Amino acid sequence: MKKVLALILALTLALSLAACGKGGGAPENSGASADEGVKPSDIHLVYVSPLLSHPIWLIAKEGFDAACKELGIEGDWVGPQGLSAEEMAQLVDTAVAQGANGIITQSICPAEPINNAIAAGVAVLMVDGDLEEVTGKLAYLGKEYKTQAELFYQEALKYVGEDGKITMSIQCPALNAQNYIDQNDAIVAAFENHPGGFELVNITLSNSDKATGTNEWLNTFNTYPEVNVCINVAAEAGPACVTAADELGITDNLIILGVDDTDENLQYVRDGKIKGTTVVSFWNYGYQAAYWLYQNITEGRVPAQKVNDAGTMMVTLENIDSYNELLKVKVDLPK
């Protein structure tokens, strides 16, 4: 009971601070109220990541830390070790209670605590996965799923050809958030009219764990030996697929495609075991997101549109040495 009362008191204090102007109130579709007199050192941003230490999210952390250092603002990187909507919700509540001016988070977090944060005057920007139920957020910065799906198809087509049948298996982290479902649906839509025929045999879950992903791919290959296209929409799933295929000696017979530019994924691209990996700028999930919140809090700037593509492209052997700088271009909010 004491803990509950303490949390209520902390949230009440945060609401009072926000009402006094510390956080910068944010009426729907307008962003936070500008406070040009605020000192950068007084601004506190909290990044509620879905995975605290996952390699791909640590790229976002690098961008976030770089932006906070450049701007001279306080930035906290928090998140669960494993996917947990409950923990993310608690961390959003804590950020509000601590008087954060801005929060960056992802769609595994439930909508209610994010909406509560906005109601408390906190500027919110979502990345990677959006929630339509979150009203009044500054913007969404993420991956264009239809573009990603078409990139997958065009890359697979290079190896299968127009007349070859595509028998596919997909692995994703989980199916407890709409963005994972949307990605899978977009992939099926991009492949389903393939002239040579298309069949999706199964969808497996990695639970953001390579060992789990490897076991799932082993089960898939043993159950569906006809699979020839493996789509991985989790950073660890591509390497898990390679590990399983190597163990069975079938890697050369497969078209393995992945997502994200982790060191392991890029090495497998160089080795020719992963044909390509789609990337979006996780750096900008941290760097640009922090700048946008800062510009909104201090100057009242808002993006021209709510949904913004962070830049979606396919990395292959042809562009692996040149793609990275294209993903680090900062775009300021319009004045």
Side-chain angles (χ1 to χ4, degrees):
M1 186 65 181
K2 289 182 179 179
K3 290 183 178 180
V4 173
L5 290 173
L7 178 58
I8 292 172
L9 287 171
L11 290 171
T12 302
L13 176 60
L15 289 168
S16 300
L17 288 171
C20 293
K22 183 177 187 295
E28 185 171 353
N29 298 322
S30 68
S33 299
D35 186 354
E36 297 185 23
V38 69
K39 296 178 181 178
S41 58
D42 292 334
I43 295 177
H44 178 203
L45 304 184
V46 178
Y47 203 120
V48 183
S49 163
L51 291 165
L52 183 69
S53 304
H54 193 284
I56 193 62
W57 282 99
L58 290 179
I59 297 174
K61 182 180 186 301
E62 290 177 8
F64 179 66
D65 290 345
C68 291
K69 182 177 180 180
E70 289 177 17
L71 293 167
I73 63 179
E74 180 183 357
D76 288 334
W77 175 270
V78 298
Q81 289 290 351
L83 293 175
S84 171
E86 181 180 357
E87 285 188 51
M88 290 183 73
Q90 292 171 351
L91 290 166
V92 168
D93 288 341
T94 299
V96 175
Q98 292 176 342
N101 303 83
I103 294 173
I104 304 165
T105 193
Q106 192 255 15
S107 62
I108 290 176
C109 183
E112 183 177 359
I114 304 175
N115 279 324
N116 290 342
I118 294 169
V122 181
V124 170
L125 189 148
M126 297 197 68
V127 298
D128 188 57
D130 197 10
L131 289 172
E132 292 184 1
E133 313 94 288
V134 173
T135 57
K137 59 180 172 285
L138 175 61
Y140 165 67
L141 185 64
K143 181 184 289 183
E144 173 49 61
Y145 297 146
K146 289 183 180 179
T147 299
Q148 173 179 260
E150 185 60 28
L151 289 169
F152 279 141
Y153 177 62
Q154 293 301 327
E155 195 63 27
L157 194 60
K158 294 178 184 177
Y159 299 92
V160 175
E162 293 280 352
D163 298 328
K165 181 179 178 180
I166 292 176
T167 305
M168 178 191 293
S169 177
I170 298 174
Q171 185 169 111
C172 62
L175 289 173
N176 60 349
Q178 189 63 41
N179 66 307
Y180 298 136
I181 297 171
D182 291 345
Q183 286 187 80
N184 294 342
D185 288 346
I187 291 165
V188 172
F191 279 80
E192 63 184 354
N193 294 320
H194 175 63
F198 166 72
E199 180 183 6
L200 174 67
V201 298
N202 69 347
I203 296 175
T204 61
L205 309 180
S206 68
N207 294 323
S208 296
D209 176 69
K210 183 181 176 182
T212 300
T214 300
N215 287 333
E216 291 294 336
W217 275 117
L218 284 169
N219 290 337
T220 292
F221 294 140
N222 286 323
T223 306
Y224 304 101
E226 68 272 24
V227 164
N228 61 349
V229 175
C230 308
I231 304 289
N232 298 275
V233 288
E236 71 288 331
C241 185
V242 171
T243 300
D246 280 351
E247 182 174 326
L248 297 174
I250 59 174
T251 309
D252 291 343
N253 302 326
L254 300 172
I255 301 159
I256 300 175
L257 299 168
V259 296
D260 301 333
D261 49 345
T262 60
D263 290 343
E264 193 169 22
N265 276 330
L266 293 177
Q267 187 57 56
Y268 279 135
V269 171
R270 293 183 189 280
D271 294 341
K273 295 186 175 185
I274 291 180
K275 304 304 184 186
T277 183
T278 63
V279 298
V280 67
S281 183
F282 269 75
W283 169 270
N284 272 336
Y285 280 178
Y287 186 82
Q288 186 159 297
Y291 260 93
W292 280 12
L293 283 178
Y294 176 83
Q295 291 173 337
N296 177 254
I297 293 165
T298 60
E299 301 176 62
R301 298 195 206 182
V302 296
Q305 56 191 31
K306 286 291 183 181
V307 177
N308 301 269
D309 182 28
T312 307
M313 62 188 298
M314 177 71 75
V315 176
T316 65
L317 272 176
E318 286 70 33
N319 65 358
I320 195 168
D321 294 322
S322 60
Y323 83 95
N324 195 43
E325 290 308 310
L326 298 175
L327 299 176
K328 291 187 177 182
V329 179
K330 178 169 74 73
V331 178
D332 290 319
L333 290 178
K335 293 185 177 180

